[in-house]
Amino acid sequence: MDWKEVLRRRLATPNNGPNKKKSEQELKDEEMDLFTKYYSKWKGGRKNTNEFYKTIPRFYYRLPAEDEVLLQKLREESRAVFLQRKSRELLDNEELQNLWFLLDKHQTPPMIGEEAMINYENFLKVGEKAGPKCKQFFTAKVFAKLLHTDSYGRISIMQFFNYVMRKVWLHQTRIGLSLYDVAGQGYLRESDLENYILELIPTLPQLDGLEKSFYSFYVCTAVRKFFFFLDPLRTGQYLNLDKDHNGMLSKEELSRYGTATMTNVFLDRVFQECLTYDGEMDYKTYLDFVLALENRKEPAALQYIFKLLDIENKGYLNVFSLNYFFRAIQELMKIHGQDPVSFQDVKDEIFDMVKPKDPLKISLQDLINSNQGDTVTTILIDLNGFWTYENREALVANDNENSADLDDT
């Protein structure tokens, strides 16, 4: 009987003696005395506190230092063995072929056109015969994922097999990437990913014609895509912009980007906030810049541009910051002989589009939530973008007229 049970019984025993009933304080004191007595007895049964702590499983392992070469080699070898074991757990080509044979053998008629189907009963039969490596794929959850509108309650054999193939390929890719995790921390640093892509280039048929002198540019471009937000990249101007061929871009060289209509005020902010070397931008910084401008609907891109627009570093845009950037648009309009546009009108339009929580401040989250962030930022930094927005109705009408003309012909 443990101390808790003894304590419970002692406290539960009524006081039927001639003495008066115990007070609440007396009961509390007695409870504490009993607890102290049995706790001390229980603790005394342990040899010492350190031995008690030894029963806790180890959960922290220190990484080997740079000078602990043997420990580092041991760690690398153990990781390699682990990844090899994980690789052997994946289906190989022969096992995939056997799986396809079993699925085809157990198809459930009738076929839909040329597509073979299988019901849940036969699905489970194949799972029993396919072997332990396939067990993870033959579950009710997977079957339900692939079940659509078949009136017989079946799934497509081809869709299921493609599902398995994709899973195997994804795991193979992850294992391959893990081999480049030099630090062994479960993530890839920029240098790790660069090594992976560089060694991958010779295996990509699409890059057969790529000269080796451009490998470094391709690797850098691909890595920046991954690290920015994994969106497609459309850049090809860097070498053309670099007029002095020093591998860097000055503010003047960057001003020729796109339609060459970005304001000097905005470009000043780019060179103030972004990492530069002696006042010039390297290729990696350029790629971040391009990614942001080419994907202005994305939150990551809006965050990049918002930081440039937030000249007072307050975490929001107010009338002052909007006017600061739009004055540069107005100046470009004068230079190009365009009619001036009132800032007051533009400011009202921006606040109407965004509808911020605070009627005087626009936060980054306000921009993202409004789904108008790309339009607002374009109005403030690019004359061509502003002109397109300002004449949007006329442009739409012109497009409609051109479409009607084509229909008539």
Side-chain angles (χ1 to χ4, degrees):
M1 183 182 305
D2 62 15
W3 70 269
K4 294 180 182 178
E5 181 62 20
V6 173
L7 179 62
R8 187 185 66 78
R9 293 187 178 186
R10 284 286 301 271
L11 294 177
T13 303
N15 186 1
N16 296 323
N19 298 329
K20 63 179 181 179
K21 187 176 181 180
K22 294 181 179 179
S23 67
E24 184 178 348
Q25 185 59 45
E26 288 174 329
L27 289 173
K28 286 184 178 179
D29 292 342
E30 185 176 351
E31 178 182 348
M32 181 56 66
D33 291 341
L34 283 171
F35 172 79
T36 303
K37 174 183 175 182
Y38 287 106
Y39 176 75
S40 300
K41 184 178 179 180
W42 170 79
K43 188 177 179 182
R46 304 275 182 178
K47 292 183 180 179
N48 54 56
T49 307
N50 289 335
E51 288 200 9
F52 171 71
Y53 289 142
K54 287 180 181 179
T55 63
I56 301 176
R58 185 176 180 181
F59 56 88
Y60 171 74
Y61 295 87
R62 180 182 63 85
L63 292 176
E66 291 184 3
D67 57 345
E68 295 176 319
V69 180
L70 185 60
L71 288 178
Q72 285 186 348
K73 292 294 183 184
L74 177 62
R75 190 164 181 270
E76 290 173 8
E77 185 64 23
S78 63
R79 285 185 64 248
V81 171
F82 170 76
L83 292 173
Q84 288 172 5
R85 185 171 72 247
K86 286 296 181 183
S87 182
R88 288 194 296 269
E89 292 175 1
L90 300 177
L91 295 170
D92 57 29
N93 288 337
E94 185 177 342
E95 289 166 329
L96 285 169
Q97 289 176 3
N98 181 58
L99 174 60
W100 175 258
F101 172 78
L102 288 172
L103 288 167
D104 186 60
K105 184 179 179 180
H106 290 80
Q107 61 178 277
T108 308
M111 296 179 65
I112 299 179
E114 297 181 355
E115 191 165 12
M117 311 292 286
I118 187 170
N119 63 16
Y120 188 61
E121 183 181 356
N122 288 339
F123 177 79
L124 294 179
K125 288 180 181 178
V126 174
E128 292 173 359
K129 297 178 180 180
K133 287 186 181 180
C134 293
K135 185 178 180 180
Q136 59 178 309
F137 303 115
F138 288 89
T139 64
K141 185 176 181 180
V142 171
F143 190 89
K145 276 183 179 180
L146 300 174
L147 183 63
H148 298 300
T149 58
D150 182 65
S151 57
Y152 297 93
R154 305 167 302 171
I155 63 173
S156 164
I157 288 177
M158 180 60 74
Q159 286 185 4
F160 172 71
F161 188 73
N162 287 338
Y163 170 83
V164 174
M165 290 278 286
R166 284 196 301 271
K167 285 290 185 181
V168 172
W169 179 81
L170 285 171
H171 282 96
Q172 286 175 339
T173 303
R174 179 162 187 175
I175 291 172
L177 284 168
S178 298
L179 293 171
Y180 290 82
D181 177 14
V182 177
Q185 294 298 291
Y187 56 82
L188 295 181
R189 299 167 300 177
E190 190 169 349
S191 58
D192 301 329
L193 192 56
E194 285 175 351
N195 291 332
Y196 171 75
I197 294 175
L198 183 61
E199 295 184 17
L200 192 66
I201 289 177
T203 68
L204 300 175
Q206 300 92 331
L207 300 179
D208 283 343
L210 184 65
E211 296 180 14
K212 287 191 175 181
S213 59
F214 286 94
Y215 277 17
S216 60
F217 285 99
Y218 178 83
V219 169
C220 187
T221 301
V223 170
R224 298 310 287 183
K225 282 200 297 181
F226 281 111
F227 275 87
F228 197 82
F229 51 18
L230 306 179
D231 263 359
L233 174 66
R234 293 182 288 127
T235 56
Q237 292 189 346
Y238 189 78
L239 296 178
N240 292 330
L241 292 174
D242 184 15
K243 295 299 181 182
D244 57 9
H245 304 292
N246 68 343
M248 310 280 280
L249 296 182
S250 66
K251 176 189 165 186
E252 182 183 355
E253 289 172 328
L254 185 63
S255 68
R256 300 187 184 95
Y257 172 80
T259 57
T261 53
M262 284 184 295
T263 67
N264 284 330
V265 170
F266 176 68
L267 291 173
D268 285 340
R269 287 292 296 154
V270 172
F271 279 81
Q272 288 169 7
E273 290 293 327
C274 298
L275 179 63
T276 57
Y277 302 88
D278 294 328
E280 293 199 316
M281 176 185 291
D282 71 351
Y283 187 59
K284 291 183 178 180
T285 306
Y286 168 78
L287 287 178
D288 283 346
F289 173 80
V290 172
L291 280 164
L293 293 186
E294 295 289 335
N295 299 274
R296 287 180 229 189
K297 290 183 179 292
E298 301 291 338
L302 288 175
Q303 184 176 18
Y304 177 99
I305 301 174
F306 185 88
K307 183 180 179 182
L308 302 177
L309 298 178
D310 183 12
I311 54 176
E312 298 178 287
N313 198 29
K314 291 183 175 181
Y316 59 83
L317 306 181
N318 54 20
V319 174
F320 174 79
S321 52
L322 296 181
N323 187 35
Y324 179 83
F325 285 96
F326 191 71
R327 278 186 303 176
I329 295 288
Q330 290 174 319
E331 290 174 5
L332 284 178
M333 293 180 72
K334 291 178 183 177
I335 293 173
H336 289 82
Q338 298 179 12
D339 295 332
V341 176
S342 166
F343 167 72
Q344 188 67 31
D345 294 339
V346 173
K347 182 260 296 182
D348 291 342
E349 285 191 46
I350 289 176
F351 275 91
D352 286 343
M353 282 190 285
V354 177
K355 295 180 175 60
K357 292 182 179 179
D358 187 320
L360 299 177
K361 302 174 183 177
I362 297 175
S363 68
L364 172 61
Q365 197 58 51
D366 290 330
L367 273 183
I368 295 172
N369 293 343
S370 70
N371 293 321
Q372 298 291 331
D374 58 323
T375 303
V376 171
T377 54
T378 299
I379 288 173
L380 295 173
I381 68 176
D382 188 345
L383 174 62
N384 185 63
F386 173 75
W387 184 89
T388 302
Y389 169 77
E390 190 72 5
N391 296 275
R392 59 194 181 280
E393 295 178 359
L395 291 173
V396 170
N398 186 54
D399 288 342
N400 292 337
E401 289 178 8
N402 290 337
S403 297
D405 292 339
L406 289 173
D407 291 339
D408 292 339
T409 58

